[in-house]
Amino acid sequence: MELQEALARLSELQRKQYAYNAASSALFLDSVTVAPRDTAEGRGVALGILAGEQHKLFANEEVGKLLDFLAERKEELPLSQRRQAEELKRSYDQLRRIPAEEYMAYTMLTNEASDVWHRAKERSDFSLFQPVLEKLVAFNQKFAGYYDSTKAPYDALLNEYERGTDMAYLDKFFAALRERIVPVIRAIGEKEQPDDSFLHQCYPIEGQKKLSDYLMEVMGLDRAHCGIGETEHPFTLDFNNKDVRITTNYDEHNLSFSMYSVIHEGGHARHALGVSDELQYTCLTGASMGVCESQSRFYENYIGRSLPFVEAVFPKLRELFPEQLKNVTAEQFYRAVNKAQPSLIRTEADELTYPLHIMVRYEIEKQLIGGTLAVKDVPETWNRLYKEYLGVDVPDDRRGCLQDSHWSGGSFGYFPSYALGSAYGAQMLRNMEADMDVWGSVGRGDLSGVTAWLREKVQRYGGLLEPADLVENACGAFDQSVYADYLVEKYSALYGL
Ligand code: ZN
């Protein structure tokens, strides 16, 4: 085989993988946005077959030979193709260890699980979800062995979401963070809280939709390339760097929920749109989960919850909701959307208490996958940890262990990447501040400089660099204390500590 021919086959393989992914994603998007309720069965069949075909396309001898050939000639390959071959080889070796029937059964299970989880959450009844969750945990314990049998199962799963992280690393990361933020949370508990009741007046959905349009415009999201839909749980799906979809969820009595969901998912969209053209239709379009979250949380928190940003968008908020906000100032709005208070729902948590929500999930996953916690005991453990970490009583499963969709999608080991992403983002902010007048432009409602910086330093690379290298390339060696410093400074100033 000639090298040129091998590279052509490498490209063709990835384009076919892209096509299967695009088809599965379109079915998924349909299922959570517009598909009628009782239509999951047929889609499950289609998804199962697509997954099977994708497995056949990839996990065969020919591909193995191609990847071995490229591995031998890797010194001659340009960086992008070398990384593609490396990543594919890694997935290939993993996938070859997963029997096709198990892979297909798992895909069908996650499709079913999403449905069951929705129903269980609606009825706030964990027992409905329990049997499916048991199967999902068992699959993941088994798959962890296929991924890397030299690692503890949960370490193998963590490594899938953020290469290089494991329990030893995260135990330290979370302990150090907790040590810095828990005293601040306690001190805030003694202080008077800002009034945020105005956020919970009636905000008609029509007005909120206009706000979404406006926020997407401020973020420079071209609607010809980025659509918005509505789902129970907001998310972003990117087909390629010219076709990205975000979703949100409107609550008439909670203005900030959708507002910040749109900015968060818009951040994911910016990331996907920022990946360079050369990486399209390859396996390198996506970065690690932590790096992805660093981008979404950058826009949501570091920019979106800053005073200059709130001041910049406040006139529009006033225009859309003149009655509701007539006696509110930008400063009061800023304080309200940064109110720090231990609460029940992760996606509604403030920046300061947010990492504690992650720590609860991390502890539970660690024990579930490690086999020291039975699935039936999840609600009890969840409620106990919420009391211990956040001091709140969980009234029901809907607002407890059934609140997130991740486990129903088979994602165990994903949650820590939210906290890591925030920590990466804090360091990016410090570096960005050294390079440009961030707050001057954000205060004018101009995010183009912020986006250009992130695109240049982070987004365009997609998965070309490993997460640790990408962070180091953008900001120097990763230093988690920057994140803790940021939180302590911000909330000390907000609450006059
Ligand atoms: Zn996200």
Side-chain angles (χ1 to χ4, degrees), residues 311-339:
E311 283 172 338
V313 301
F314 198 67
K316 187 69 181 184
L317 282 160
R318 261 278 189 53
E319 181 194 315
L320 289 170
F321 306 108
E323 268 310 303
Q324 295 89 331
L325 296 174
K326 71 176 175 220
N327 296 317
V328 179
T329 64
E331 163 98 19
Q332 284 169 325
F333 195 92
Y334 165 69
R335 287 182 183 278
V337 297
N338 283 293
K339 180 177 174 181

